[in-house]
Amino acid sequence: MKTKKINFSLIFAHVLLVILSFMCLFFFYILFVNATRSHADLQKGFAALPGKYMIENFIKVANDGTIPMIKGVRNSLIISSACALLCTYFSALTAYGLYAYEFKLKKIAFTFIMAILVMPTQVTAMGFLRLITKLGLYNTFWPLIIPSIASPAVFYFMYSYMQSSLPLSLVEAARIDGAGEFRTFNTIVMPIMKPAVAVQAIFTFVGSWNNYFVPALVLQDKGKMTVPVLIATLRGADFKSFDSGKIYMTILVAIVPIVIVYVLLSKYIIAGITLGGVKE
Amino acid sequence: MNKKKSISYAKWGYIFILPFFISFFIFSLIPLADTIRLSFYEYYRATLKIVGPNYVGFQNYKELLSSDMLVYAKNTAILWIIGFIPQIVIALLLASWFADIRMKIRGAQVFKVIIYLPNIIMASAFAMLFFTLFSTNGPVNSILLQMGVVTKAIDFMGTPFGVRSLVATMNFLMWFGNSTIMLMAAIMGISPDVVEAAEIDGCNGYKRFFYITLPMIRPILTYSLIVSMIGGLQMFDVPQILTNGQGNPDRTTMTLIMFLNKHLRANNYGMAGALSVYLFIVSGILCFIVYKITMDDDKTGTKAEEKAKKKREKERLKQMKKEGK
């Protein structure tokens, strides 16, 4: 009786999982198929198998002057990589400062960061825009990169990781060996933090790559726009006159780099999701 | 000696946390102060000339309340709820299966990778994809027509129900994998002793779920709820791209951040400021709850136990005091 019950729920679990997986993959499969078909083919209706126009569609996207996707991918790569680098390094540095040292304002600083852990950036967007305009940083990459130094969530992740994997005796030992504080951080702490840095670098990169709200307000030149801003331009354009194969290819170009990163690193990403959350 | 040492190292603590706080001060605090300040001014651009800034007190706040802000707040709430409910139900179900060692799910890792995939996809590209897929002459309609499910193409983008469903579906797809994995970790963190003890007492599958699993993961469930609420409050990319910033049809899918975005683009500093402050207050309350949960260093997983511990401690102190007397 008992085994029968378990079997039934096991079947149900698999059926539901297959349905959900199908839902997750179906839309991307259509995207892929449609990106490989010509406009004329697409007008005829749906097809389950890919066509032969993939290269042709890609060339059309690459040569489009109104929506410069290749430049967009380059811009997004620059901004996201810089964000991932700055964010992980300075978050680890901040976490180390609060973890390894005793000082008067330590508790206040920690409490403050924890209080703004999940504060949305949108609420300060207006002041932010006015400020960067005054600083002459409007329509540049800098306002999208530098603020990533202060990322409370990444800080918290690094801090938790240090609590579990960085014994302070190690730091003491380095001090006895005469290493300076910065050198200790760079040559001893950072290598130990590598797994945490890697996971957070991936998440920061993906977050920055997908970020739309702020870049859309800051970047005005077509040549400087990131991928999500260009996608919005595509949506705003009179796309009825567009080659629909090209539209699908544009969307495909926007998501493929991240999907590749994801497939290669999925093991670490899945394991990393829970590390930063509440440990219970 | 020891004290002297710690003093000499203290300065490094300050140096190491300085970049974070400088960056936060410049790019978040100054903008926040500026936003709050301008919320009390009449300050906007009317076609060519700039009106203001003139101090008007709380007029912007009052004006927002009588404008469509509350309607947009309602839209945002609806869009969030109809995405969140299926998300948390499915996530709980999947998480309890994944975490159950006796449920031998084949290819569990592959399933996890697949269900998390939509989360890393660019929301704006995903919305653009849905827009093309669900347009009247798009692939979804042609599949339905070819299969004979419908006789006339469905205009998904033409009805509030259609657009809201699309937004909710996207939010669901993007977040249920994430919730599943978070909840799974929480369930796996439940002490095996507790589960074993319950089983000895004759606690079967359903009972175990409702009387052991659910109460034990309550803190992380609350955390997920609040974080999701904050995410919902920030909802922008999906409805913005899907409806091209219009919140069609008839602004039924216009969210608060889309409204803010509109004011920002129109250089309505006063109104954008007041709206930001409203959002700041709401997210501040939510942030406080998250702070409470995160800082609650409760290893056993239930707040009740923590409270009981404190109570016991208090009683013990009382006892000691009495004895002292």
Side-chain angles (χ1 to χ4, degrees):
Chain A
M1 178 65 197
K2 205 182 176 189
T3 44
K4 216 176 172 183
K5 210 172 182 183
I6 288 175
N7 280 344
F8 171 72
S9 54
L10 198 61
I11 292 166
F12 178 59
H14 281 93
V15 170
L16 187 69
L17 273 169
V18 169
I19 292 171
L20 287 168
S21 303
F22 175 79
M23 279 176 74
C24 289
L25 296 175
F26 175 66
F27 302 110
F28 301 111
Y29 180 70
I30 304 188
L31 169 66
F32 173 71
V33 169
N34 283 359
T36 62
R37 299 171 70 206
S38 71
H39 184 65
D41 264 357
L42 285 163
Q43 298 296 78
K44 280 182 213 151
F46 172 75
L49 294 171
K52 297 192 181 87
Y53 283 83
M54 187 167 177
I55 309 278
E56 212 159 299
N57 282 339
F58 182 76
I59 292 170
K60 275 186 203 156
V61 170
N63 291 336
D64 188 348
T66 50
I67 296 167
M69 274 307 273
I70 303 298
K71 260 191 193 162
V73 170
R74 193 204 61 187
N75 297 339
S76 281
L77 272 177
I78 294 172
I79 294 172
S80 308
S81 310
C83 274
L85 210 73
L86 277 187
C87 175
T88 48
Y89 184 80
F90 283 102
S91 298
L93 190 72
T94 314
Y96 183 67
L98 286 176
Y99 174 68
Y101 300 98
E102 291 300 329
F103 51 95
K104 228 180 177 175
L105 297 177
K106 177 175 165 148
K107 197 155 182 263
I108 296 171
F110 185 78
T111 310
F112 182 77
I113 300 179
M114 292 310 288
I116 54 165
L117 192 61
V118 285
M119 201 64 187
T121 48
Q122 284 92 332
V123 298
T124 56
M126 190 188 77
F128 180 74
L129 272 178
R130 283 166 49 85
L131 178 81
I132 61 161
T133 310
K134 268 184 217 152
L135 295 175
L137 297 174
Y138 191 66
N139 199 21
T140 66
F141 291 170
W142 299 113
L144 305 174
I145 296 172
I146 302 171
S148 68
I149 290 173
S151 310
V154 183
F155 156 84
Y156 181 55
F157 183 93
M158 298 289 184
Y159 189 84
S160 310
Y161 193 83
M162 277 175 194
Q163 280 182 321
S164 65
S165 337
L166 181 71
L168 280 174
S169 54
L170 212 68
V171 180
E172 289 292 331
R175 271 180 199 154
I176 291 164
D177 288 348
E181 297 302 303
F182 256 110
R183 237 191 93 202
T184 308
F185 177 73
N186 286 328
T187 59
I188 293 170
V189 177
M190 277 311 259
I192 292 173
M193 297 297 291
K194 229 185 229 163
V197 169
V199 165
Q200 285 308 307
I202 299 166
F203 281 116
T204 313
F205 184 91
V206 172
S208 169
W209 179 275
N210 295 343
N211 189 12
Y212 168 55
F213 185 74
V214 177
L217 290 168
V218 171
L219 302 170
Q220 298 305 316
D221 287 352
K222 278 248 166 82
K224 284 182 184 169
M225 285 179 179
T226 57
V227 176
V229 188
L230 287 173
I231 293 284
T233 324
L234 176 69
R235 176 65 180 88
D238 183 19
F239 52 87
K240 287 260 163 59
S241 62
F242 274 39
D243 182 325
S244 40
K246 199 174 90 180
I247 293 177
Y248 287 112
M249 184 49 97
T250 309
I251 303 171
L252 193 67
V253 169
I255 65 173
V256 153
I258 291 293
V259 172
I260 292 173
V261 171
Y262 178 67
V263 170
L264 291 177
L265 304 173
S266 59
K267 216 172 97 190
Y268 305 98
I269 295 178
I270 300 289
I273 301 161
T274 49
L275 288 174
V278 191
K279 303 166 297 164
E280 219 73 51
Chain B
M1 170 83 190
N2 207 3
K3 202 177 178 191
K4 203 175 170 190
K5 209 174 179 182
S6 74
I7 286 168
S8 72
Y9 282 126
K11 111 180 163 209
W12 288 100
Y14 288 110
I15 293 172
F16 282 8
I17 67 166
L18 202 59
F20 183 102
F21 281 92
I22 293 177
S23 169
F24 185 80
F25 183 77
I26 297 175
F27 293 108
S28 296
L29 271 189
I30 295 178
L32 179 65
D34 192 39
T35 305
I36 294 172
R37 185 178 67 88
L38 284 180
S39 70
F40 297 109
Y41 285 84
E42 179 189 39
Y43 192 14
Y44 60 93
R45 188 156 74 191
T47 51
L48 284 174
K49 74 174 195 320
I50 288 170
V51 180
N54 308 313
Y55 181 79
V56 289
F58 282 94
Q59 200 190 307
N60 289 327
Y61 293 88
K62 274 183 212 147
E63 224 167 282
L64 272 177
L65 281 180
S66 57
S67 77
D68 281 341
M69 185 183 74
L70 294 176
V71 175
Y72 301 146
K74 200 186 88 190
N75 290 341
T76 313
I78 291 173
L79 288 175
W80 172 71
I81 289 170
I82 56 176
F84 182 75
I85 291 173
Q87 175 197 322
I88 205 72
V89 169
I90 295 280
L92 264 174
L93 203 57
L94 295 187
S96 58
W97 285 337
F98 279 134
D100 192 343
I101 23 165
R102 271 166 307 177
M103 270 296 256
K104 288 196 180 67
I105 297 205
R106 278 163 197 270
Q109 186 61 26
V110 177
F111 280 127
K112 279 181 220 163
V113 170
I114 293 173
I115 61 172
Y116 191 71
L117 172 75
N119 189 263
I120 54 119
I121 299 292
M122 185 184 293
S124 46
F126 197 29
M128 183 68 201
L129 177 63
F130 260 55
F131 174 71
T132 42
L133 293 182
F134 285 89
S135 65
T136 40
N137 53 1
V140 171
N141 264 316
S142 54
I143 291 171
L144 293 175
L145 284 171
Q146 276 168 19
M147 279 168 49
V149 179
V150 292
T151 48
K152 212 173 113 253
I154 304 169
D155 187 9
F156 289 100
M157 295 297 294
T159 60
F161 177 74
V163 184
R164 281 174 177 171
S165 307
L166 288 184
V167 173
T169 308
M170 272 182 272
N171 282 331
F172 165 73
L173 283 176
M174 280 162 68
W175 291 102
F176 85 96
N178 184 290
S179 305
T180 301
I181 289 160
M182 292 282 274
L183 295 177
M184 186 189 76
I187 295 174
M188 277 160 65
I190 298 174
S191 156
D193 301 349
V194 177
V195 181
E196 223 166 83
E199 258 158 28
I200 291 167
D201 290 346
C203 198
N204 68 20
Y206 296 101
K207 272 189 188 157
R208 198 179 68 208
F209 179 76
F210 284 107
Y211 295 111
I212 308 285
T213 310
L214 268 189
M216 290 295 267
I217 63 166
R218 215 186 55 197
I220 202 157
L221 265 181
T222 322
Y223 177 85
S224 301
L225 173 79
I226 304 296
V227 169
S228 171
M229 266 181 159
I230 296 174
L233 195 66
Q234 297 177 64
M235 199 186 300
F236 175 69
D237 298 20
V238 167
Q240 172 81 10
I241 301 283
L242 194 66
T243 66
N244 199 16
Q246 304 302 308
N248 288 336
D250 197 24
R251 293 175 296 155
T252 46
T253 50
M254 179 78 101
T255 66
L256 286 169
I257 299 292
M258 285 167 77
F259 188 42
L260 176 67
N261 187 58
K262 243 184 171 173
H263 279 310
L264 285 175
R265 292 196 175 270
N267 290 331
N268 280 339
Y269 298 117
M271 288 300 229
L275 181 55
S276 301
V277 173
Y278 275 127
L279 290 168
F280 177 72
I281 293 168
V282 176
S283 40
I285 295 167
L286 295 174
C287 272
F288 179 72
I289 302 173
V290 169
Y291 170 81
K292 277 288 186 203
I293 300 170
T294 322
M295 295 297 271
D296 188 13
D297 204 11
D298 183 6
K299 295 278 187 282
T300 53
T302 46
K303 274 186 183 170
E305 204 150 327
E306 186 82 343
K307 265 184 199 158
K309 230 188 276 170
K310 270 183 196 157
K311 211 177 169 186
R312 276 203 297 274
E313 192 79 2
K314 243 186 195 168
E315 266 160 27
R316 205 171 58 95
L317 283 174
K318 248 187 204 166
Q319 198 87 26
M320 273 164 72
K321 253 186 193 167
K322 252 187 199 166
E323 275 165 22
K325 265 179 189 173

